Amino acid sequence: MHISSVTSRKSLQRILGSSRSYLGAYNVTGRFLSNGPKFAVKAKRSDLTVLSASAVVALAVFQYKEYSRTKLELSAEETTTTLLNWSGTHVVQVDNNRYWEPETVQEVEDIVRSCHKRGQPVRPIGSALSPNGIAFHQNGMMSMANLDRILQVDVKNQRVTAQAGARVSQVVDALRPYHLTLPNLASIAEQQMGGFIQVGAHGTGRSIAPVDHYVTEIKLVTPAKGTITLTKDDGELFELAKVGLGCLGVVVEVTMECVPAHRLVEHTFVLTREEAVTRLQELLTEHKHMRYMWIPYTDSVVVVTNDPEDQVKEIPKLKKISEDERFAPLRDLMLELSNEWPEPYTKESLQSIGFGELRDALLAIDPLGIKHVKRCNEAEAEFWKRSEGYQVRPSDELLQFDCGGQQWVWEVCFPTGTQEKSSGNDMDFMTELLAGIEREEIPAHSPIEQRWSASSSSLMSPAYGPKDGLHSWVGIINYLPSEDEGQRRDISELFTGRYCNLMRNVGQAVSATSHWAKLERPKSMWQLVDTQLFLQTRFPLRLFNEARDIYDPKNILGNDLLNLVVGKPGTK
């Protein structure tokens, strides 16, 4: 069996360059280290070589558990490919004769045509970053990783055209020499462009829409109608296809608006809950980008704002706090808790562990113990208080941030007034959610992230709405901090059960709908019925499924999750 991410072997060889010979005889593991993404190549002996290079950054985020292919494994005995999503929450095994890695649009067309004729599923997959594994289908998948060319940078009209398999970070790098960048980024930039728009990824900023809104042209290979190119002139079909969930056709090319490259001034500081509520409108209005990170069981809300450097008159000079002082709350807690272990942590051993890794290590001790989680959250709150300050960097660097390790996450979106003025239900939502967590003593890990966006013009976007609309996005999280299967199972049960049920109940009053990449399969028949009825009121599913019936009548592009919650092609 071949265990892999969605990056093809050929893509791995291209990225690794001179290290390609390692692929046959070495186990390759991608992970985040304390000072950024690195790629570790572990020999079958005990030696370990760490390659630190931007060329392999994509591999780090895929969180490979293993990529081992010896010459023997490359024989005919290897018949399946196993794919794991970045969160480590979903896995799928596909027969190799039903897993394709095309390198050209022509090959995509040939594969889709053949599969349509036979009724063979062929779900397109990007970087497998979606927490719910929305691109997975055990009966057939097509990796877009090899279609990764940047086709055109139109400086005059400020647009870029890229193949669907190009990573967002590649596009940003290609735009840099032209002093352009993308209008916004999600929390990470290793998505492929196709998946980036198809699931409605978003950043934060009251006047900035989700990324799909900025698409001006999209090329799809459809099962029934061949290859089509859509623009705004195509009306409803174009607006459906931008967030098409991979169901209307295989996206092969995307053209998106760009903006002039710029540097941002980022300010990180901590407010109390009351201050976060009372200052919300001020912060939304005064800053181009703004997000909250609520820390459960504490009176701390981390605020991160970003503004163009040329619009910031003066950057206050703050007293610089050393890294030892910043990390002391977390390191001291770990030293205390590991003191009686056979091999306890030491001050020296903790020096090389970054924030995300250290939080994971602390939580792994007792991730569902309410007292322990409270202590971890309190230590994190103190870390952020000691990390207050400013930094100035290019926008594409600051709009990305560390999402932590493997995790369960669920994010919802709901309308909250206009860009001119929030209706206040965003703060009501958070107040009720936090109260519910504390009342039910849910071991909620930190943070609960809250972001805002303008409306999207895409009909299937969770943020679809009037042009002046404002939408809030709230994401809850529980990390999977160890490889202990029993522990991971217990965390999964808690998160997908009590925790998600709480947010679902809180969200009913504001018509909160799930981010498409984070919508999990309903756990009961009643929950399924509720989900189906709600989505029918929130999205134009009849129109969407009518379009699917035209372009994919045999439903070779869908999967079990989407068939369940949005219906099949032609569903009324």
Side-chain angles (χ1 to χ4, degrees):
M1 182 177 69
H2 163 210
I3 300 178
S4 173
S5 89
V6 295
T7 295
S8 67
R9 179 175 172 81
K10 185 169 292 186
S11 296
L12 283 168
Q13 290 175 334
R14 184 167 63 248
I15 294 171
L16 282 173
S18 61
S19 301
R20 70 181 65 186
S21 60
Y22 291 149
L23 292 176
Y26 291 72
N27 292 332
V28 182
T29 304
R31 67 189 189 279
F32 278 113
L33 300 184
S34 59
N35 58 343
K38 290 186 182 291
F39 194 76
V41 180
K42 187 173 183 180
K44 291 186 176 180
R45 300 183 301 277
S46 60
D47 57 308
L48 179 69
T49 303
V50 177
L51 308 177
S52 177
S54 59
V56 296
V57 66
L59 304 180
V61 300
F62 293 142
Q63 297 284 320
Y64 285 110
K65 283 190 172 179
E66 185 179 24
Y67 190 104
S68 179
R69 301 188 81 181
T70 64
K71 291 182 179 179
L72 289 176
E73 288 174 320
L74 290 173
S75 69
E77 294 177 10
E78 187 182 49
T79 61
T80 63
T81 293
T82 297
L83 299 113
L84 177 74
N85 73 331
W86 174 78
S87 300
T89 53
H90 291 271
V91 64
V92 65
Q93 189 174 96
V94 190
D95 289 345
N96 283 349
N97 60 2
R98 295 179 179 178
Y99 180 68
W100 295 271
E101 296 180 342
E103 298 184 17
T104 66
V105 173
Q106 180 64 58
E107 288 182 10
V108 174
E109 292 171 336
D110 292 344
I111 293 166
V112 171
R113 186 184 306 111
S114 174
C115 288
H116 175 60
K117 184 177 181 179
R118 295 179 286 124
Q120 163 64 49
V122 57
R123 180 83 177 142
I125 183 169
S127 300
L129 292 175
S130 296
N132 65 349
I134 193 172
F136 287 176
H137 196 312
Q138 63 182 5
N139 292 326
M141 297 168 64
M142 179 193 298
S143 169
M144 303 303 293
N146 290 322
L147 278 83
D148 61 353
R149 294 171 54 210
I150 312 301
L151 299 175
Q152 182 184 27
V153 177
D154 182 345
V155 178
K156 180 180 178 181
N157 294 306
Q158 295 191 348
R159 294 180 180 179
V160 60
T161 301
Q163 289 186 314
R167 288 174 285 110
V168 173
S169 58
Q170 286 178 263
V171 176
V172 169
D173 287 343
L175 290 172
R176 210 180 303 279
Y178 302 95
H179 306 291
L180 295 172
T181 192
L182 295 177
N184 208 350
L185 297 177
S187 53
I188 54 179
E190 296 312 316
Q191 306 100 324
Q192 291 177 14
M193 289 294 288
F196 190 49
I197 66 167
Q198 286 291 281
V199 298
H202 67 95
T204 190
R206 71 181 178 100
S207 61
I208 304 172
V211 296
D212 50 271
H213 178 78
Y214 301 101
V215 173
T216 60
E217 185 174 294
I218 183 171
K219 181 181 285 188
L220 302 167
V221 176
T222 74
K225 300 295 182 180
T227 301
I228 61 174
T229 300
L230 302 174
T231 68
K232 291 181 180 180
D233 293 338
D234 293 290
E236 279 186 342
L237 181 58
F238 175 66
E239 299 300 348
L240 281 173
K242 287 191 298 179
V243 181
L245 309 178
C247 291
L248 295 179
V250 178
V251 178
V252 289
E253 290 180 16
V254 176
T255 300
M256 183 177 285
E257 295 176 17
C258 303
V259 298
H262 54 285
R263 288 163 61 84
L264 291 174
V265 177
E266 181 173 276
H267 183 199
T268 301
F269 56 101
V270 180
L271 298 177
T272 65
R273 290 184 183 180
E274 182 179 356
E275 289 171 334
V277 172
T278 57
R279 292 188 60 187
L280 174 67
Q281 192 60 50
E282 165 205 336
L283 294 169
L284 281 174
T285 303
E286 292 184 359
H287 299 286
K288 182 176 182 180
H289 306 273
M290 195 278 287
R291 59 187 170 97
Y292 279 172
M293 293 188 289
W294 303 78
I295 303 182
Y297 296 105
T298 75
D299 191 25
S300 298
V301 184
V302 183
V303 185
V304 182
T305 65
N306 285 275
D307 294 288
E309 184 179 21
D310 59 8
Q311 295 178 18
V312 178
K313 294 180 180 179
E314 182 180 1
I315 301 176
K317 292 184 179 180
L318 303 179
K319 179 183 177 182
K320 194 167 184 178
I321 298 178
S322 70
E323 183 174 297
D324 284 343
E325 289 180 273
R326 290 174 55 228
F327 276 81
L330 298 165
R331 290 173 178 170
D332 289 349
L333 181 58
M334 179 57 83
L335 290 172
E336 175 192 336
L337 295 175
S338 69
N339 184 50
E340 297 183 3
W341 293 2
E343 295 184 14
Y345 280 95
T346 65
K347 289 183 178 180
E348 291 73 23
S349 64
L350 289 172
Q351 290 294 317
S352 62
I353 301 179
F355 168 69
E357 288 178 283
L358 185 51
R359 177 175 56 194
D360 268 8
L362 281 166
L363 287 170
I365 295 171
D366 189 7
L368 296 179
I370 189 67
K371 291 183 179 179
H372 179 70
V373 170
K374 286 181 179 180
R375 292 194 71 186
C376 291
N377 288 359
E378 288 164 359
E380 180 172 343
E382 185 59 33
F383 165 83
W384 284 112
K385 289 175 183 177
R386 299 181 184 198
S387 300
E388 292 184 330
Y390 293 83
Q391 60 174 322
V392 183
R393 291 164 60 190
S395 63
D396 58 272
E397 295 180 14
L398 286 180
L399 295 179
Q400 302 177 59
F401 50 89
D402 185 357
C403 294
Q406 290 191 340
Q407 59 195 243
W408 278 104
V409 60
W410 187 32
E411 184 179 31
V412 297
C413 174
F414 54 91
T416 182
T418 67
Q419 295 173 36
E420 188 69 26
K421 185 174 177 57
S422 166
S423 66
N425 65 6
D426 42 13
M427 293 297 95
D428 292 342
F429 180 96
M430 286 307 309
T431 299
E432 188 174 346
L433 178 62
L434 290 164
I437 288 170
E438 292 163 6
R439 181 179 62 251
E440 298 184 24
E441 293 196 321
I442 292 174
H445 298 170
S446 174
I448 298 174
E449 187 178 52
Q450 186 169 30
R451 291 182 278 177
W452 288 263
S453 78
S455 294
S456 169
S457 57
S458 303
L459 295 174
M460 291 292 288
S461 168
Y464 174 72
K467 290 183 178 180
D468 66 343
L470 179 68
H471 303 261
S472 183
W473 303 74
V474 176
I476 56 175
I477 193 168
N478 267 112
Y479 299 100
L480 297 165
S482 80
E483 294 300 315
D484 182 278
E485 290 303 321
Q487 185 185 88
R488 293 170 74 93
R489 183 175 58 251
D490 292 343
I491 295 170
S492 300
E493 284 297 316
L494 175 280
F495 185 84
T496 60
R498 289 173 57 208
Y499 201 176
C500 284
N501 287 341
L502 171 63
M503 189 158 81
R504 187 176 294 108
N505 292 336
V506 172
Q508 287 178 349
V510 293
S511 295
T513 191
S514 179
H515 188 309
W516 286 114
K518 297 166 187 176
L519 174 64
E520 295 290 342
R521 186 186 182 97
K523 297 190 71 173
S524 69
M525 181 60 69
W526 293 112
Q527 196 178 101
L528 170 61
V529 172
D530 286 345
T531 300
Q532 290 173 331
L533 291 174
F534 173 73
L535 292 178
Q536 287 170 19
T537 64
R538 195 71 155 72
F539 297 99
L541 294 189
R542 180 173 180 174
L543 186 66
F544 182 62
N545 287 325
E546 285 175 351
R548 291 172 69 192
D549 197 34
I550 294 171
Y551 293 95
D552 181 25
K554 295 183 181 179
N555 195 25
I556 67 171
L557 300 178
N559 63 9
D560 291 344
L561 173 64
L562 293 172
N563 292 339
L564 198 64
V565 297
V566 304
K568 297 180 180 180
T571 302
K572 303 297 184 182

